Amino acid sequence: MKAKRIGDVSPLVKADAKNSELIPRGFARLLDHSSDSLRHIQWLWKKDILGQDSFLIGPPGPRKRWLALASAELSNREVEYLSLSRDTTETDIKQRREITSGNAVYKDAAAIRAAVNGRILILDGIERCERNVLPVLNNLLENREVQLEDGRFLMAPSRWDHLVKTGTPEQMLEAGLIRVDEYFRVIALGLPVPMFKGAPLDPPLRSRFQARQIEHSKYHDVQNITPASKKESLNKLLDVGYAINSPEARKLGAGVFPVDMVSRLSPLINEAHTAFSLFDRLYPYESGMLTDSSVKSVSGLLASDKLDLPRERHQLSIQNMTFADDNAIINVSGKTGIMSKAEDSFSLPSTALSSGVENPDRIFHPTGGRQHQLVEILASLSVGDVALIGNRGVGKQTLANEAARILGQKTEPVLLYQDMSARDLLQQRVTDEKGDTIWRYSPLVNAALEGRIAIIDGLDRLFPGTLALLNQLTQDREISLHDGTRLVSAGTFAEMLSEQKISPAELNAKGIVEIHPAFKIIALAEPPTSKSQWLTSEIVPGFLWHQESVKESN
């Protein structure tokens, strides 16, 4: 790998990376236009050279994760990623006991794999974890030592190297003394508490990290990502977004606008979509996530930038639809005035060769603005995953099923419930007919692998910290499962195959599995209330939001 430099700092590169599939890909491109991001990466490299662990703290959004992954990508370092939640236990961090061939065996978890193999361990969501869980890493962070349940002892590299002089490496291994690689580092990601909800860091654990505050991307950096022809509408969104994120607005309880996700909507910026409709998809401030006074504050900011007028100047409808090269191409149009109309076209990956056949039991009727709602949902699906917010009976499930029918794709229902754990959301641990423990994919993961549309019903029922586990999947199309398997996007999977010159089956055997390009998520939820404020600032960047209601003409 060609050496890279930022200023006068070169990264600490591990030349003998044995598992190149664990090196992040594509995240450095997300930060190409940002000098501010390069300064953060340079700081991470300095801490790495000094042998120190890092803690990136800042407002909700994917930027902290992107910076950590981009830093590892540019320095050719392997990564173990662990998303934390209130369900995370010591076994998820260190070792997990499994039953194999009738015998109990211990399998190393993310932290131990990273320590032994010299990888970077990324702990995402420090504030979501129970306060008494993470201190199990204290000794590993401070002294690079830890006692494992299987009897082995991980030892600091300097002590191990000194002790091995009295014997041989084989004798050390027989004694259960394992060397922690000197390239092992930890990067923790978290929100500032108590500004945001979460558990404060245990003081001894906090002292193990070198912290750096990460704010949202700079205004001009987000601008540079979008084509020049679309900057007028983009500037309107950014003006309001950065005003909401200002310290003055934050004191008024205006929440956090996900400015780092604005570039996702750039393909939709045209005359067929108003600036307000795009703003509302990123930041559903009228859904109940804010108090009445905060809603008035945001409305005032919108009015000052003239972003709130007009809210809907058209009623879009589908004109025609074609299928080519595993994509569904939808052409839509709508009137923007008495004598003028807007036209738009967007493409979605699909597993179908033609649109879904007519269903005799179909209950969707394109009247009273329903056709326009459907088109807007399909447009959002072309650039990201969608969440529909509405009271019971407004037809959220019907709209989701109709979108799948039009795309000719099968659906996978995913029912959430209040006591659902983070583990159950992705995998269930079960026993086979021989009594051995195995991991079974959840319906959500099956949908990702088979290219179905996952209809997640009940976002409002799930604990917000558990729901945040989906952020990596919805924002990056990657996710790490509890058994060590990594699901990656089709583009990343193809890049790995090209680099390593191996077959898909061989890459699957290494624990890397491709997410089908046609996989989509349509989530359904009831509006947040004062008693159930599930729509937090950490959840907002994960979806494009649509607020559904019953029209009078329906």
Side-chain angles (χ1 to χ4, degrees):
M1 177 178 175
K2 185 178 178 181
K4 295 179 173 61
R5 295 174 63 91
I6 299 178
D8 59 349
V9 179
S10 296
L12 193 62
V13 178
K14 188 177 182 182
D16 60 339
K18 298 178 182 178
N19 300 92
S20 60
E21 68 275 3
L22 298 181
I23 299 174
R25 287 166 173 80
F27 295 95
R29 291 194 296 267
L30 296 171
L31 309 170
D32 278 347
H33 301 281
S34 174
S35 57
D36 181 59
S37 296
L38 292 178
R39 284 192 289 271
H40 291 309
I41 294 175
Q42 184 189 56
W43 180 85
L44 286 170
W45 286 357
K46 289 179 179 178
K47 300 299 121 180
D48 188 12
I49 293 170
L50 293 172
Q52 298 174 337
D53 298 320
S54 307
F55 182 25
L56 304 183
I57 184 170
R63 192 171 186 233
K64 299 186 294 295
R65 182 177 67 251
W66 290 350
L67 286 169
L69 293 171
S71 173
E73 178 184 355
L74 293 173
S75 56
N76 200 40
R77 300 284 291 279
E78 299 172 6
V79 164
E80 292 282 354
Y81 181 89
L82 179 59
S83 184
L84 303 173
S85 71
R86 67 172 182 173
D87 303 310
T88 302
T89 63
E90 183 178 342
T91 59
D92 298 315
I93 298 174
K94 291 172 59 179
Q95 282 189 316
R96 183 178 58 250
R97 188 167 63 175
E98 303 282 5
I99 305 297
T100 303
S101 300
N103 299 315
V105 296
Y106 285 91
K107 292 190 177 181
D108 294 341
I112 306 305
R113 293 196 302 265
V116 173
N117 296 289
R119 297 167 184 164
I120 295 176
L121 173 65
I122 297 179
L123 299 174
D124 193 359
I126 287 287
E127 77 290 339
R128 298 197 296 262
C129 195
E130 293 291 341
R131 193 172 180 179
N132 62 337
V133 173
L134 289 179
V136 302
L137 291 177
N138 278 348
N139 204 28
L140 182 61
L141 292 172
E142 184 175 13
N143 302 316
R144 292 301 192 251
E145 295 180 350
V146 66
Q147 178 69 54
L148 301 181
E149 281 71 13
D150 63 359
R152 292 182 299 161
F153 182 77
L154 267 58
M155 183 177 289
S158 58
R159 292 187 60 193
W160 195 94
D161 293 341
H162 178 74
L163 193 58
V164 78
K165 295 177 182 178
T166 63
T168 64
E170 290 74 18
Q171 291 174 331
M172 299 284 284
L173 290 176
E174 289 177 4
L177 300 177
I178 309 298
R179 184 180 188 271
V180 172
D181 196 288
E182 62 269 18
Y183 285 91
F184 169 60
R185 299 289 183 273
V186 178
I187 300 178
L189 314 177
L191 304 178
V193 177
M195 180 180 295
F196 298 96
K197 292 183 178 180
L201 272 184
D202 185 58
L205 178 67
R206 185 176 58 205
S207 65
R208 271 57 170 184
F209 293 105
Q210 301 295 311
R212 186 173 178 88
Q213 185 174 1
I214 307 296
E215 291 294 341
H216 295 289
S217 298
K218 301 295 183 183
Y219 187 99
H220 60 274
D221 290 334
V222 181
Q223 265 189 326
N224 291 336
I225 301 175
T226 307
S229 60
K230 301 182 178 182
K231 283 191 175 179
E232 182 179 354
S233 295
L234 177 76
N235 289 346
K236 290 183 178 180
L237 290 175
L238 292 180
D239 288 343
V240 179
Y242 280 93
I244 290 173
N245 290 341
S246 66
E248 295 79 11
R250 190 167 293 177
K251 291 179 181 178
L252 298 175
V256 179
F257 182 83
V259 295
D260 291 300
M261 306 308 296
V262 169
S263 59
R264 174 191 289 187
L265 289 180
S266 58
L268 300 183
I269 297 177
N270 52 45
E271 61 180 3
H273 298 95
T274 66
F276 177 84
S277 70
L278 299 181
F279 172 86
D280 214 30
R281 295 182 205 193
L282 286 171
Y283 189 69
Y285 73 101
E286 292 181 313
S287 64
M289 61 179 283
L290 302 178
T291 62
D292 293 341
S293 60
S294 299
V295 170
K296 291 181 181 178
S297 300
V298 175
S299 299
L301 292 172
L302 291 172
S304 63
D305 282 279
K306 298 182 179 179
L307 190 65
D308 59 334
L309 297 174
R311 294 198 174 195
E312 292 185 4
R313 61 185 178 192
H314 49 70
Q315 287 292 320
L316 294 176
S317 59
I318 298 175
Q319 296 302 302
N320 56 70
M321 184 173 176
T322 58
F323 286 81
D325 299 326
D326 296 326
N327 284 281
I329 303 171
I330 302 174
N331 297 302
V332 302
S333 67
K335 291 185 177 181
T336 60
I338 298 177
M339 300 295 293
S340 61
K341 68 176 183 178
E343 296 181 347
D344 190 17
S345 176
F346 45 86
S347 174
L348 299 87
S350 175
T351 56
L353 299 177
S354 62
S355 184
V357 297
E358 286 294 334
N359 184 352
D361 298 324
R362 180 185 177 202
I363 59 175
F364 180 80
H365 301 286
T367 58
R370 279 303 203 207
Q371 181 77 1
H372 173 71
Q373 291 175 336
L374 180 62
V375 170
E376 295 286 35
I377 291 171
L378 290 170
S380 293
L381 282 174
S382 68
V383 294
D385 295 317
V386 169
L388 310 182
I389 299 179
N391 293 314
R392 294 183 182 180
V394 301
K396 301 187 295 294
Q397 187 81 46
T398 302
L399 282 168
N401 289 332
E402 182 66 10
R405 188 198 68 81
I406 289 176
L407 295 175
Q409 285 187 248
K410 295 181 179 179
T411 62
E412 185 75 43
V414 181
L415 183 63
L416 305 184
Y417 50 89
Q418 189 172 8
D419 297 328
M420 192 175 200
S421 68
R423 185 179 288 109
D424 294 334
L425 187 60
L426 302 175
Q427 287 181 310
Q428 287 97 29
R429 195 182 186 198
V430 298
T431 56
D432 60 14
E433 62 278 3
K434 298 179 181 179
D436 295 342
T437 55
I438 58 174
W439 289 93
R440 183 173 62 194
Y441 291 151
S442 70
L444 176 62
V445 174
N446 283 328
L449 300 181
E450 298 171 8
R452 300 186 179 189
I453 296 180
I455 300 181
I456 302 179
D457 191 0
L459 282 188
D460 53 295
R461 303 188 198 110
L462 205 59
F463 185 73
T466 304
L467 188 57
L469 291 181
L470 295 180
N471 282 345
Q472 190 189 19
L473 179 63
T474 58
Q475 295 166 358
D476 303 338
R477 271 300 181 264
E478 290 188 7
I479 195 164
S480 298
L481 303 182
H482 301 290
D483 64 351
T485 304
R486 284 183 60 212
L487 273 58
V488 299
S489 66
T492 300
F493 192 82
E495 187 177 340
M496 290 180 182
L497 292 177
S498 176
E499 287 180 1
Q500 301 189 28
K501 294 180 173 55
I502 59 177
S503 67
E506 290 174 309
L507 193 53
N508 290 340
K510 293 185 175 185
I512 307 297
V513 183
E514 177 187 10
I515 295 177
H516 198 287
F519 167 63
K520 306 173 188 68
I521 295 176
I522 302 179
L524 315 177
E526 294 186 24
T529 63
S530 57
K531 293 183 179 179
S532 176
Q533 189 49 261
W534 60 269
L535 186 52
T536 64
S537 297
E538 192 176 12
I539 307 303
V540 169
F543 295 93
L544 296 176
W545 303 89
H546 290 257
Q547 300 174 56
E548 308 301 339
S549 60
V550 177
K551 305 292 184 181
E552 290 184 3
S553 53
N554 280 357

